[in-house]
Amino acid sequence: QYGVTFNTTGSALTPEFGKNADWKAFSATIRSTNGSGARGVEVIQYVGNPNDPHQPPAEVPEAVTPSQLQFDDGSSTFSVTFQRSIAGEGSQQPAVNWRFNASSQTASQIVDTMGRCASCFNSPKLAVNTSFAEAIASQGQPDIAPGARIVSVEFQNSP
């Protein structure tokens, strides 16, 4: 299972996985699924605990329509097209500068795949109010199994 997690709050925080996670950086994840032998994609919203912001947020599946989220399955890649509004925090509109991180999930853990270590990746700013096409290569963790590695993430934006 692979995913891209977004911080749509406008802060400079990169979503990080593992024990040092700063949950304020988690807005939504778009991740692959593999149910009944068919690959697909889902959107997860993160709802923080207002009484204890240090606790992991609740993962809430986002109901989306086919016009909001499209999935194109390739042999070794996949692409997802989505409306920016589905990655916002609840009813709030997303900020114009987003940060991201990519991950893969093994049987026992979620692995940060963009940095050389769990907190080594610093996301570039994605200015979602401008048009852009950008490919960001993973810096690669050497101890991740080849089947769990993400080589790069590409974003194309057309506001």
Side-chain angles (χ1 to χ4, degrees), residues 14-145:
T14 296
E16 295 177 1
F17 304 92
K19 61 183 175 185
N20 295 326
D22 187 340
W23 300 114
K24 293 180 291 202
F26 283 63
S27 299
T29 294
I30 297 176
R31 68 180 172 205
S32 65
T33 61
N34 192 2
S36 304
R39 289 176 31 170
V41 68
E42 67 182 347
V43 177
I44 301 296
Q45 293 284 337
Y46 295 96
V47 179
N49 181 340
N51 298 323
D52 189 354
H54 301 292
Q55 291 297 314
E59 291 187 4
V60 180
E62 177 80 12
V64 294
T65 66
S67 66
Q68 292 176 300
L69 180 70
Q70 296 91 43
F71 173 68
D72 185 17
D73 188 9
S75 59
S76 64
T77 65
F78 64 88
S79 66
V80 177
T81 303
F82 65 95
Q83 291 180 355
R84 288 186 302 263
S85 61
I86 68 172
E89 292 187 27
S91 62
Q92 296 179 357
Q93 283 296 325
V96 296
N97 292 316
W98 292 14
R99 306 292 175 147
F100 80 96
N101 203 344
S103 63
S104 61
Q105 186 167 346
T106 65
S108 61
Q109 65 180 341
I110 294 177
V111 179
D112 179 334
T113 60
M114 293 301 290
R116 291 199 164 118
C117 65
S119 59
C120 293
F121 178 68
N122 187 15
S123 171
K125 230 187 318 189
L126 301 174
V128 297
N129 61 341
T130 63
S131 294
F132 63 84
E134 187 172 352
I136 298 102
S138 170
Q139 298 165 358
Q141 287 190 34
D143 59 344
I144 296 176

